[in-house]
Each structure stands twice: as structure tokens, then as C-alpha cells.
Amino acid sequence: MSASHSAGTRGAPEPSSDSDEDVDVINVEFDFQAPSEIDFQAMKRLFQQMFYTHAPQMDLGILADHVIQSGMTQGIGTVIKVDDIEQVHDPYAVISAVMLGPASPASELLQTYFTTQLSKAASAKPFLDLLKSASESKPHLFVLHERMINLPPQVMPPLLRMLLEEVDGSLRETASPKPSHLIIFSRAFSADALEEGNEEDEPTGLAGARKRKARGEHAHPDDAAAAALGKPVSNKKRAAGSHDDGLGSFHPEDELIREFVSHSYTYRFPAPPDAADSYETPLFGRLLAVPFSDVPALLQRLLDVWPPP
């Protein structure tokens, strides 16, 4: 069972002496807890966010049940809540693991869903073959993680570190085989669609993206990565036909995880029913697979960028 920890977010920078505006600093204490049955509905909502427009076709209660049962029986998984003794809050983030290979309702749900998505394109065959190779003796560790959009990325390294320690303890206790790969799923957005125009008459959003595409110009994925990591953006362009996907990551750590992947695949989610009535940037699902032997280096990379306070 995960122990409780507290970690404060980094405060906003102090205003410069020549600034006339005050900068508000909000200090929040996060409590890292084991999942419990009271978190069921909140975890379902986080998984609905993760699977976006595909969520209605999935029984996400299976995943929420898996997280709760894994926490209760194996001590695997963590939720983050606001430290408040006066009331109980819903989780702001959840992380757990599903072993792909051994049969379980959660494993079957994920295998069926991702097999369906990966079967739609020939370019996805390498990842599909990897997914189908999962077995009792050679499983894959699927990291089931989602958090509220505005939660700082500094929470991810300790979450992943605790999860890996919990999984390792469970594997040693049951004499189970180590996973072949670690698989992570998250969402990405169109950097082209969100890029601001550089000219006064340049439209932004999807209209601007279509205009730039017609000229053979696209937002550079390096800028999407920089934006995700909170770094300056240079507004570089990439040429048409580039192998880069030009997508930005909802989770900044994805840009670092991609340095270690052996397999990756990205697919577009269907637009929501009201997309025609409001601006809705295209969203994508992104699968990343990292050889399990490279996971320690990946974790260290995350800790180097977001060290513990």
C-alpha cells in the first residue's frame, strides 16, 4: 500500500520591481494516497478524459475497479488529492498498472481497444505485433495514468517511481516474470491548429492550419515539445513531408519518454458531436512502448528534469 506523502507545487515567480501588478502565489499540498472505493466515480471521469470521444464505447468502470482492487490486494497504485482535513476531495491524478498478457477484465478491455485502433493502419503493424506478443511468460506493463490538465508535471516522477517499486515488490513476492515493455498511453493535440499566426491577416486555429498546410508549412514539433516543457517557443516551421508529427503533448513528460521508445503510434480521435459549433482542436491518442530494461534510465531522465523538492 502506498504511503502518504505531501509535496507542494512550485510557486509563481516574484514580480519584478518595475511591475505594477501583483502576482498571486497559491501553495497547495498534495497528498499521495492508496486508491479506495470512494474514488471510483472520480477515476472514471479521469479515464473519460483520457479516452476522449472513444470513452462512451468503453466500460471504464472496469479500469476504476482494477485500480481499487490492485491497491487493496497488491499495494499497487496511487491517487493524488489535496491535503484537506475538513473535507474529502476527489483525486486530481491516478496511476496504476495493468499487466497485459495475464488474463483480467482490465487487460482484456485494453487489449481489445488498442488492437482495434492499431488494426486500422498498416503503419501500426509493428506496435500491433508487440501488443499481440504479450503473454503470461512475457507480459507488458501498461501504465494507467491520467491527471487534471493543470496539475504540474513535477508529480509524475514520484508517481512513476512509487509505481515501479510497488510492481517490482509484487513481482518478487509472486515470482512472476518481469515485463518485456512498459506501455504508456496519453493524448496529444495539433500544434498546427493551435499555432498563432505571424502576420496580421494570418488566421489562427484550424483555419490557419489549413492555410499553412496549403503553403507547405507546418508548426514545428520542437516548438510543441518546448511549450509542453514550459520552454520558450521559436515559432520554427517544418517542411511538408517531414517525419515529425507536429503534435504537442498534454503531459509534458511524454516528450522525454519519446527519447526511449522502441515503438510508438498516434491516431486521431473522432471529433465530438458539437465540434462544428465551437472551436475544437484535433486531439490524438498516442501509444508509447519502452523496453523495460530502459525504464531505470527513463525514470532518471524524468527526475533530472523535475527533481524532488
Side-chain angles (χ1 to χ4, degrees), residues 76-87:
I76 293 177
T78 304
V79 295
I80 293 181
K81 297 184 178 183
V82 172
D83 188 13
D84 187 347
I85 62 174
E86 296 183 357
Q87 66 181 95

Side-chain angles (χ1 to χ4, degrees), residues 154-188:
Q154 284 86 347
V155 303
M156 182 55 177
L159 280 176
L160 183 60
R161 184 186 65 230
M162 287 190 292
L163 180 71
L164 293 173
E165 291 173 352
E166 292 160 357
V167 168
D168 182 65
S170 178
L171 293 177
R172 284 189 282 107
E173 185 177 334
T174 58
S176 300
K178 281 195 172 184
S180 166
H181 287 74
L182 181 145
I183 298 179
I184 294 175
F185 175 72
S186 60
R187 293 173 301 143

Side-chain angles (χ1 to χ4, degrees), residues 78-118:
T78 304
V79 295
I80 293 181
K81 297 184 178 183
V82 172
D83 188 13
D84 187 347
I85 62 174
E86 296 183 357
Q87 66 181 95
V88 177
H89 290 270
D90 287 340
Y92 283 25
V94 58
I95 193 168
S96 187
V98 179
M99 204 65 78
L100 303 183
S104 72
S107 175
E108 292 172 6
L109 174 70
L110 294 172
Q111 287 272 25
T112 299
Y113 170 71
F114 288 120
T115 296
T116 300
Q117 304 311 314
L118 294 169

Side-chain angles (χ1 to χ4, degrees), residues 126-169:
F127 210 126
L128 180 60
D129 291 342
L130 177 71
L131 190 68
K132 288 182 175 180
S133 72
S135 64
E136 288 270 1
S137 60
K138 193 178 179 181
H140 302 320
L141 181 68
F142 184 89
V143 176
L144 188 61
H145 168 64
E146 184 59 304
R147 61 182 185 264
M148 293 181 66
I149 298 298
N150 58 349
L151 209 61
Q154 284 86 347
V155 303
M156 182 55 177
L159 280 176
L160 183 60
R161 184 186 65 230
M162 287 190 292
L163 180 71
L164 293 173
E165 291 173 352
E166 292 160 357
V167 168
D168 182 65

